[in-house]
Amino acid sequence: MTVDGFARRKLLGILSGGVPAQCCYALAKLGVADLLADGPRTVAELATDCGANPRVLRRLLRGMASLGLFRRMESDTYELTPVGEPLCTAVAGSLRQTAVMHGEEVHRSFGEIMHTVRTGEPAFDQVHGRPFYAYLAEHPDAAGVFAGAMGSERVPATLAGCDLTGVTTLVDVGGGSGGLLAEALRSHPGMRGVLLELADAVRAARARLCESGVADRVDLVEGSFFDQVPHGGDAYVLSRVLHNWADEHATVILRRVRAAMDPGARLLVFEKFLSDNGGSAASAMVDLLMLGMLEGHDRTQAEYRELLTGAGFDVVIVRPSTTDSAESVIEAVPA
């Protein structure tokens, strides 16, 4: 059998994928994109400012320039390109913290992927001696990086199609840095919000909600949705939460929400539905990322319905997304 040349090159590209990812991590950790945000700099200047070896930094920049993150100019000078801009800290949709997280916790975990393959348990637990969220609770720096990475994710587009008429208090359970809540409050000036999150995420949310101009309409509650969920909401949101957890723990979360809801309240669940045809490459990569890091997994629409029913809810509306790479929304009420 003769190996097709194109197929071989494609596989080699996949096999070497960890190399540019770790180079991006190093550049993100050094803050090189931030140093280039105001314009081109020489390698010598960059090395001095970020504390890197000039020869190594030159090779990193040259290699990443070949992938389009930087552009080499004359006199050993580099500038940032649109592809590299998301590595800047202050830009909307920044991926700097994502690059750091992938270069540290994710990279180390996937070095032990065979543990997951053989046991079905996340490799993260094997590497770090505890589950992901327990690890974050004991490592504030990693928790801050994770909060920053999650804060860069876009608000689910399906939020715009949800009818929030009559909702005076919206409770975002595990709402991360508050992006969804900020979007909802900007669109509904008479609404108040409550955000339940762990301490590091609450700190990130406070800053983001202040920037959005809605902080005075939000109550920030530090806590775990495994313990208790705030009462008094007209609508509750679980956005990208349930897929992080196995069925047993996802059911506990749903029951805590159910216990907090008054008659007439409703729950909005934003999740990507697992496609019967395998879905997009991006969706498949997210699923593989979770395989090594967390106990959870993506689910089909039917599986989410079953979870909700088992936790005491009736599903009333399902609004599928137009693509399998975006979140759908399930609206449910207490049974």
Side-chain angles (χ1 to χ4, degrees), residues 32-308:
V32 170
D34 285 337
L35 294 174
L36 289 171
D38 292 329
R41 304 280 299 277
T42 66
V43 172
E45 291 171 338
L46 291 170
T48 298
D49 288 349
C50 72
N53 179 287
R55 289 181 297 169
V56 172
L57 183 59
R58 181 176 294 108
R59 293 171 69 180
L60 282 174
L61 288 168
R62 184 173 64 222
M64 293 298 97
S66 73
L67 297 178
L69 278 73
F70 306 97
R71 184 179 296 108
R72 186 180 186 279
M73 307 173 72
E74 59 183 19
S75 303
D76 208 23
T77 300
Y78 284 84
E79 68 176 357
L80 201 58
T81 69
V83 179
E85 283 177 4
L87 288 178
C88 292
T89 304
V91 299
S94 171
L95 293 174
R96 181 183 180 187
Q97 299 290 49
T98 301
V100 172
M101 183 179 72
H102 277 250
E104 295 181 351
E105 283 76 20
V106 174
H107 177 69
R108 288 196 287 269
S109 296
F110 274 81
E112 296 294 332
I113 189 62
M114 290 306 297
H115 174 78
T116 299
V117 173
R118 292 192 172 112
T119 68
E121 300 171 354
F124 185 96
D125 300 18
Q126 170 77 3
V127 172
H128 298 282
R130 68 217 71 188
F132 181 68
Y133 288 105
Y135 172 86
L136 292 184
E138 298 175 8
H139 295 81
D141 289 345
V145 170
F146 176 69
M150 295 302 98
S152 69
E153 291 194 352
R154 298 184 183 276
V155 174
T158 41
L159 174 66
C162 296
D163 183 7
L164 298 179
T165 303
V167 175
T168 58
T169 302
L170 181 66
V171 182
D172 196 350
V173 180
S177 63
L180 184 148
L181 197 56
E183 183 71 23
L185 294 179
R186 281 196 298 262
S187 302
H188 300 80
M191 183 189 294
R192 290 195 59 83
V194 178
L195 186 139
L196 172 68
E197 256 297 1
L198 300 177
D200 290 287
V202 165
R203 284 192 285 272
R206 182 175 287 110
R208 183 164 185 175
L209 292 165
C210 285
E211 291 173 3
S212 300
V214 298
D216 60 332
R217 294 157 54 200
V218 179
D219 294 324
L220 296 171
V221 180
E222 289 187 14
S224 168
F225 42 51
F226 286 115
D227 298 329
Q228 189 174 21
V229 171
H231 291 256
D234 303 298
Y236 287 75
V237 170
L238 285 168
S239 178
R240 302 170 179 143
V241 170
L242 297 179
H243 79 134
N244 291 331
W245 302 97
D247 289 357
E248 177 186 358
H249 289 133
T251 299
V252 172
I253 296 167
L254 287 168
R255 286 177 176 164
R256 293 290 182 269
V257 175
R258 172 68 180 82
M261 296 173 74
D262 294 327
R266 51 198 168 111
L267 169 65
L268 303 174
V269 176
F270 294 89
E271 292 287 359
K272 295 176 182 177
F273 291 160
L274 191 63
S275 173
D276 293 333
N277 63 9
S280 66
S283 296
M285 289 303 102
V286 171
D287 183 58
L288 290 179
L289 172 63
M290 293 181 63
L291 185 70
M293 299 293 289
L294 296 164
E295 66 177 55
H297 55 89
D298 285 332
R299 298 176 174 89
T300 63
Q301 179 184 155
E303 288 171 331
Y304 277 115
R305 281 179 173 271
E306 185 176 351
L307 266 184
L308 286 157

